Amino acid sequence: MNYRHAYHAGNFADVVKHVVLTRLLEYLKQKDKAFRVIDTHAGIGRYDLSSVEAQKTGEWLGGIGRLIDASFDVKAEALLAPYLEVVRALNPDGGVKKYPGSPLIARHLLRKQDRLSAIELHPKDAAKLKAEFAGDFQTRVLELDGWLAPGAHLPPKEKRGLVLIDPPFEEPGEFDRLVDGLLKAHRRWPGGIYALWYPIKDRKAVIAFRKALKQSAVPKILDIEFEIRPASSEPSLDGSGMVVVNPPFTLEGEMRTLLPALHRLLAVGKPAHWSLEWLAGETA
């Protein structure tokens, strides 16, 4: 699967991923003590939805395009507010012409004591990311293979924080690398929060991935699955997932409010479902 992000920015998978990200950040902000966000595959930071790439697929229309002016009940609206605030800050004239990637979302929500490490391997993308955060002392941009981050940057000196692992799935073996990367990171920093994004396209690979996580020694793993259509006859992105290790105690309840609201808006085919499952810990 080629997930070059300029083609897919703002799609349904981005929406779900970034909603989960904002809920994790809002939880970390409940304590005054500083935290660090480490984004291992950061991309370019912001995406132009009028670009050739975005216009070619139009995927954002089925994601943030449906969400930006939608109505939700009071509880869901409050939980979505931090995410939508970042999107609207990038689009002060209304609508959605620009879309924030994960490093921009994280940076927008940081307090003055918090820090962001944004890692990107692609030279041109890393250059754009450095330009985006030029002069920002709270953000460090590194041109580096994100898979090296668990060994090189953990634990952070703040001893609190979140590691977002969101690989592009451009090469075979990414599910295995996700598991290996998590195990390596967790050994170095067992108390950190980890959020791992994955595509639901190759169903057998997803089953094997989830089985490997269940068999790992990592004690607390919550899997968030979100499908917009049933399995396609031709390979396509039918859904996406977020595995969260050491999830805040608030996250499961928040997702039980948010996922059905998002699913009603974003699903395009039946049967399609969302699910929350403890792969380890709690009620696993």
Side-chain angles (χ1 to χ4, degrees):
M1 175 184 176
N2 188 318
Y3 203 79
R4 187 71 179 164
H5 206 70
Y7 291 93
H8 312 286
N11 70 359
F12 79 89
D14 257 6
V15 168
V16 177
K17 172 176 60 183
H18 292 150
V19 167
V20 174
L21 173 63
T22 58
R23 297 319 310 161
L24 295 174
L25 293 171
E26 290 300 294
Y27 174 80
L28 285 167
K29 288 161 63 176
Q30 291 180 16
K31 293 184 179 179
D32 290 336
K33 191 177 178 183
F35 63 84
R36 181 173 295 269
V37 178
I38 299 173
D39 190 340
T40 65
H41 298 77
I44 62 175
R46 71 173 69 203
Y47 297 88
D48 182 357
L49 299 182
S50 66
S51 70
V52 172
E53 294 90 346
Q55 290 294 312
K56 184 175 181 179
T57 64
E59 288 186 17
W60 66 274
L61 292 168
I64 190 59
R66 293 186 179 184
L67 196 72
I68 193 65
D69 293 320
S71 297
F72 296 93
D73 65 44
V74 174
K75 284 185 68 175
E77 187 173 331
L79 293 172
L80 286 169
Y83 166 63
L84 291 175
E85 173 194 324
V86 184
V87 177
R88 288 174 177 143
L90 212 58
N91 297 276
D93 297 327
V96 189
K97 297 177 182 176
K98 307 286 184 183
Y99 186 79
S102 51
L104 216 62
I105 290 173
R107 179 63 186 93
H108 186 93
L109 296 176
L110 296 187
R111 305 160 303 176
K112 63 181 181 179
Q113 66 266 45
D114 305 321
R115 298 293 183 267
L116 167 64
S117 294
I119 300 168
E120 175 55 45
L121 178 62
H122 192 285
K124 288 185 178 179
D125 289 358
K128 288 183 179 180
L129 196 61
K130 288 177 181 179
E132 180 72 45
F133 292 113
D136 183 352
F137 73 92
Q138 287 183 247
T139 301
R140 185 183 181 195
V141 177
L142 300 165
E143 185 178 332
L144 180 72
D145 184 348
W147 292 114
L148 301 177
H153 298 278
L154 297 179
K157 65 179 182 179
E158 293 83 3
K159 307 300 183 187
R160 297 182 69 229
L162 164 68
V163 180
L164 174 64
I165 306 177
D166 176 21
F169 282 83
E170 292 178 329
E171 299 177 9
E174 295 283 56
F175 280 108
D176 292 336
R177 295 179 86 178
L178 268 180
V179 175
D180 292 343
L182 173 62
L183 294 178
K184 185 176 183 181
H186 192 265
R187 284 194 294 269
R188 291 183 63 90
W189 190 31
I193 299 173
Y194 298 88
L196 287 64
W197 182 87
Y198 64 90
I200 299 176
K201 183 178 182 183
D202 181 340
R203 303 292 176 129
K204 290 183 179 179
V206 171
I207 291 170
F209 171 60
R210 297 172 86 248
K211 182 178 180 181
L213 290 173
K214 286 182 178 182
Q215 294 174 344
S216 74
V218 178
K220 293 185 73 174
I221 308 175
L222 179 65
D223 183 39
I224 302 166
E225 256 191 17
F226 190 93
E227 294 184 357
I228 61 167
R229 58 179 155 255
S232 308
S233 56
E234 295 293 328
S236 66
L237 187 66
D238 300 322
S240 67
M242 286 283 277
V243 166
V244 182
V245 173
N246 295 326
F249 72 94
T250 53
L251 185 64
E252 183 179 7
E254 291 177 349
M255 289 298 105
R256 291 197 182 280
T257 296
L258 286 168
L259 292 178
L262 291 173
H263 201 257
R264 283 192 293 271
L265 195 67
L266 301 177
V268 295
K270 296 181 179 181
H273 74 282
W274 61 268
S275 67
L276 289 165
E277 182 181 351
W278 286 94
L279 304 182
E282 299 297 326
T283 57

